[in-house]
Amino acid sequence: MRLIAPLRSFPTTLAVVALSAPALANDLEFTNLQGGLSHGVYFRSDGLTGWAVEDGGRIRKTTDGFDTWTFQETPASARVQLRGVYFVEGGTFDGWGCAVGDQHTILRTDNGGATWTQVDKAVLPDWPDDPEDLNLWDVVFVEVAGPKGPELHGWVAGREGVLWYSTDAGASWESQHDNYNEILWHGYNRDDRYGLHAVEDGTGTLHVYVTGDWGVIAHTTDEGATWDFLDNVPGMIAPDFGPNIEIYDVEVLPTGDGYATGGVGTACGRAYRISNWTTVTWEQLGPQNPAPEPPPASCTSGHFTSATTLYGMGILPDGRGVGGGYASHTWRAPFTGSLWESTYQPLPSADPVTPPLWGTTSVGTRVYTVGQFGILRRTDDGTAAAPVWVDKHGTETTRLIDGDFIDGSTGWVTGQTGRVHKTTDGGLTFTEVFNPSLMSFYNHGLDFADANRGIVVGNPVGTVPFIAYTHQGGDDQSEWTQVGSGALPDFGGSPPFLFDVHFFDANLAWAVGSNGWVLHSDDGGVTWDDADPNGDLGTLKMNAVSFLTPTIGVVVGTGGRCFATLGNDLWFELDVNLTGGADYTGELLGVEARLPSTVVAVGEDGYVFAYVAATGTLEQVYQSTTGFNLESVALHPTQLQVYAGAADGGFVWYDGSGWSEPNSEMSYRMSAIAPVGDGGFAIGQSFLLNRFDLVP
């Protein structure tokens, strides 16, 4: 049976109907407030001017040694994870820089990053695999004497054996991945390359290093015409070795002494000392891995250690290597012997998640490291017995799944570990206000009716689904109450996972989840009853819920299924059709409904559907250009505008006259959207929070 009469006509094109006012202007600007993934960092020798590269194509710059950062403008086409950055200091090309990242993205600047331009992908070397999977990890450039004056030569390294070379400041590139003097038993030319380093010795000879999978450290003194493997490393490049050692970074001083760091997986760290340019010896990381990351038993035997993998590194003035890696750990080489020591300092967040530190560099005694959740850390004295780390960004480490804002200042977010964080300054800072103390626990849905009343739902706990509510603003633990079994229906020993919750007003709320469960509360979340006692939804997984009136609402879920109710706990299925009339069978992941007749649903493969009263169906009105799953949808508070967020961080927007996909500056899952006024907040993994604003 189809639901038709109660909903007035809603146009299939979403082109002309406004709810209370004309359509607004058609451009959105995004600003990162929290989190993300910082992957690469570079500082000039003054220790003050530096750059960090992040997800979403973001590049931030500091000129005061880490205390304040500003974002630089990058091309909208570069909305990808950036992984490596390098700047030239001194000489003809002073201030020239290059950043590289996923989908073979290369950005260049000749003015310290005031403007960035993207290298045309058409000039990059051909590659046998899908170029969209071709992620570039690192970049290095050097000024050399050319026949007509100074030239800028450089290299980039990346997945699938990418090793590209440029002699014209990165305007064009050629491949050097076939220029090795020996062939590895496992097929060197298709293994990933991660780290690059270039340095001149006292005679003016340029030494360039590249690192990668299977313990590869390769070295050239002829700008890559030939590359030689440093193959005398214990356990490296041997057909009977087994595990794949990944060498992520390398740095060598003009004396020919240096280090390379990496590991196997995440918890089997490796460090190597380089001497006389090509001699490599293995060094052991500390005898134990500091809590809270106990090492796997398989990492404690043989020449493996129990330390975390090291991703990036630098060298201190006293010649000791220093690196950052998995689980937020940092390590430092010894003065004597071969046993590296831990300089681990926990993040200030109470969250037990300990994210990896992907990029590390040093200038003098200062050490800078960046990582997941937008972490930016610095110590002023990396040579101290116990270096003190200062955190300037990314101190919250929850993987966000949902959130809500009631205005431009006050909002709440939640996700992995079940915690709830609150902001009262528009997302600049957050405070943990609720912690259910449940490890490996997820909250999937959160909604606030006003400044006081909110509900959060998630994974089942024992014999009941997790539901907690506040009627006092949820400012601290004492203001939250977890709903017990006496205030819930009988789930027969199989409590559902709850994936979404929706307030209609301060009292009426609904939650949906697995096994076809729809729960209803009429007292702001204190007590709940079964809103589908007849079992109309069967055992289908329901992902999202929204209500137009106290009795008229919709739920969506797996298999492209959408159900509506007029009240009285009766549910009717609505057809969901693709353009041309075929049934949509993908998973519907989000829905938003509002009077007089607006119902918009989004789902897998980037589809957007809208309710059409004339047929009583949801019809396709758009598909995102990337085809990534649309996981969240929201409506402008007063206008007929639609916002949708994608699994790749993409953003889909209907502005009242047409569809567009503005640059969200996110490249990680956008799991929730919270509209506020003519803008709002985009919420994603890695405690990622971007504000978007309407630009006239």
Side-chain angles (χ1 to χ4, degrees):
M1 182 182 297
R2 291 174 174 170
L3 174 64
I4 300 177
L7 303 183
R8 296 194 290 274
S9 178
F10 185 65
T12 60
T13 60
L14 289 180
V16 295
V17 175
L19 298 181
S20 64
L24 301 176
N26 54 2
D27 196 12
L28 294 177
E29 182 177 79
F30 287 76
T31 303
N32 176 256
L33 300 175
Q34 291 282 340
L37 195 157
S38 298
H39 200 280
V41 59
Y42 183 90
F43 268 80
R44 291 173 67 97
S45 60
D46 61 9
L48 299 175
T49 305
W51 295 261
V53 294
E54 309 179 2
D55 69 286
R58 300 189 305 275
I59 300 176
R60 65 173 78 213
K61 180 181 180 180
T62 180
T63 57
D64 59 9
F66 214 69
D67 291 329
T68 58
W69 296 79
T70 57
F71 284 104
Q72 299 187 312
E73 185 174 351
T74 57
S77 57
R79 188 184 61 79
V80 298
Q81 174 71 60
L82 297 177
R83 298 185 181 273
V85 60
Y86 188 87
F87 273 82
V88 177
E89 185 171 359
T92 303
F93 296 93
D94 184 64
W96 189 96
C98 185
V100 299
D102 291 359
Q103 299 178 24
H104 56 300
T105 298
I106 302 177
L107 306 179
R108 300 188 302 158
T109 179
D110 59 7
N111 53 18
T115 56
W116 290 87
T117 58
Q118 184 170 358
V119 175
D120 187 351
K121 294 182 180 181
V123 307
L124 301 179
D126 292 334
W127 212 247
D129 293 333
D130 183 355
E132 296 307 302
D133 293 332
L134 196 59
N135 301 337
L136 305 179
W137 275 70
D138 204 4
V139 57
V140 69
F141 273 85
V142 292
E143 183 176 309
V144 301
K148 296 182 179 180
E151 297 178 348
L152 199 57
H153 295 188
W155 292 260
V156 296
R159 287 195 59 195
E160 301 295 330
V162 163
L163 181 58
W164 294 342
Y165 172 63
S166 173
T167 58
D168 55 7
S172 62
W173 298 83
E174 63 184 62
S175 176
Q176 289 189 343
H177 91 286
D178 287 327
N179 294 4
Y180 297 105
N181 279 337
E182 56 185 303
I183 296 178
L184 302 184
W185 68 274
H186 48 76
Y188 71 90
N189 60 326
R190 299 308 301 274
D191 294 321
D192 295 347
R193 299 289 174 259
Y194 298 118
L196 286 163
H197 183 71
V199 60
E200 278 192 1
D201 63 21
T203 67
T205 300
L206 178 66
H207 297 256
V208 184
Y209 295 84
V210 63
T211 69
D213 278 351
W214 298 100
V216 164
I217 306 174
H219 168 253
T220 181
T221 55
D222 56 15
E223 292 204 20
T226 57
W227 290 86
D228 291 298
F229 291 111
L230 280 60
D231 57 2
N232 59 333
V233 181
M236 283 187 174
I237 313 176
D240 60 349
F241 176 61
N244 174 8
I245 297 178
E246 296 164 315
I247 306 297
Y248 286 101
D249 203 5
V250 59
E251 186 163 343
V252 179
L253 299 172
T255 61
D257 300 314
Y259 298 89
T261 53
V264 179
T266 58
C268 300
R270 303 300 299 265
Y272 300 95
R273 183 184 294 270
I274 298 174
S275 57
N276 196 29
W277 301 107
T278 58
T279 300
V280 181
T281 54
W282 167 60
E283 299 203 328
Q284 180 179 346
L285 301 188
Q288 63 180 0
N289 182 8
E293 296 288 340
S298 61
C299 296
T300 60
S301 60
H303 56 262
F304 290 121
T305 76
S306 59
T308 53
T309 289
L310 291 179
Y311 297 117
M313 62 153 297
I315 299 180
L316 297 167
D318 57 20
R320 290 186 292 170
V322 59
Y326 183 70
S328 306
H329 288 211
T330 51
W331 296 85
R332 184 174 59 194
F335 283 118
T336 59
S338 61
L339 183 64
W340 283 48
E341 58 186 344
S342 171
T343 58
Y344 174 73
Q345 175 183 307
L347 290 172
S349 171
D351 197 309
V353 175
T354 49
L357 301 172
W358 286 107
T360 301
T361 190
S362 61
V363 177
T365 61
R366 278 192 169 185
V367 182
Y368 309 87
T369 187
V370 301
Q372 195 170 351
F373 298 100
I375 289 173
L376 304 174
R377 310 191 87 183
R378 182 195 77 202
T379 181
D380 289 331
D381 190 1
T383 63
V388 177
W389 294 92
V390 178
D391 296 275
K392 292 296 181 182
H393 189 63
T395 57
E396 301 297 343
T397 56
T398 295
R399 293 179 173 90
L400 299 182
I401 298 176
D402 203 1
D404 193 22
F405 279 74
I406 59 168
D407 55 35
S409 299
T410 304
W412 301 259
V413 293
T414 192
Q416 186 187 18
T417 73
R419 288 165 164 78
V420 177
H421 292 76
K422 182 177 182 178
T423 179
T424 57
D425 57 12
L428 298 178
T429 61
F430 279 85
T431 300
E432 182 184 296
V433 294
F434 180 49
N435 178 1
S437 300
L438 301 168
M439 296 299 293
S440 302
F441 180 78
Y442 282 78
N443 283 340
H444 299 284
L446 178 147
D447 197 29
F448 269 73
D450 51 39
N452 295 315
R453 295 200 164 202
I455 299 173
V456 60
V457 301
N459 289 2
V461 180
T463 60
V464 297
F466 178 78
I467 304 176
Y469 67 90
T470 178
H471 290 175
Q472 300 169 280
D475 289 332
D476 58 46
Q477 189 88 5
S478 67
E479 295 184 356
W480 290 86
T481 301
Q482 185 173 336
V483 178
S485 59
L488 291 164
D490 181 3
F491 299 103
S494 299
F497 291 71
L498 295 179
F499 299 115
D500 193 24
V501 61
H502 170 77
F503 262 115
F504 178 78
D505 57 28
N507 293 310
L508 298 178
W510 289 264
V512 296
S514 58
N515 297 322
W517 277 100
V518 181
L519 302 178
H520 166 258
S521 174
D522 60 9
D523 53 14
V526 178
T527 62
W528 297 79
D529 57 57
D530 184 358
D532 180 29
N534 300 314
D536 295 326
L537 278 62
T539 59
L540 295 171
K541 173 175 172 275
M542 292 290 115
N543 294 314
V545 56
S546 187
F547 269 68
L548 295 85
T549 75
T551 57
I552 300 176
V554 290
V555 297
V556 298
T558 189
R561 307 292 288 274
C562 175
F563 293 83
T565 182
L566 305 179
N568 299 320
D569 295 332
L570 298 175
W571 293 85
F572 311 85
E573 185 166 5
L574 305 179
D575 290 339
V576 182
N577 299 322
L578 298 170
T579 300
D583 292 340
Y584 175 70
T585 58
E587 188 146 358
L588 291 173
L589 299 168
V591 67
E592 189 81 358
R594 189 173 63 219
L595 286 174
S597 54
T598 306
V599 180
V600 181
V602 299
E604 287 184 321
D605 302 319
Y607 284 104
V608 184
F609 303 91
Y611 178 76
V612 180
T615 58
T617 59
L618 271 73
E619 301 292 335
Q620 178 187 338
V621 292
Y622 188 70
Q623 184 181 17
S624 70
T625 57
T626 63
F628 279 92
N629 296 348
L630 294 178
E631 300 194 353
S632 54
V633 63
L635 298 175
H636 186 282
T638 59
Q639 306 288 331
L640 183 57
Q641 295 195 46
V642 181
Y643 311 109
D648 70 334
F651 195 86
V652 172
W653 182 36
Y654 176 77
D655 69 351
S657 60
W659 295 91
S660 62
E661 299 185 29
N663 180 17
S664 68
E665 297 194 8
M666 297 172 69
S667 52
Y668 285 87
R669 175 185 175 190
M670 189 184 301
S671 52
I673 300 171
V676 175
D678 290 337
F681 298 87
I683 300 163
Q685 288 187 337
S686 294
F687 212 93
L688 186 54
L689 181 73
N690 282 12
R691 188 184 70 241
F692 59 92
D693 299 287
L694 189 70
V695 180

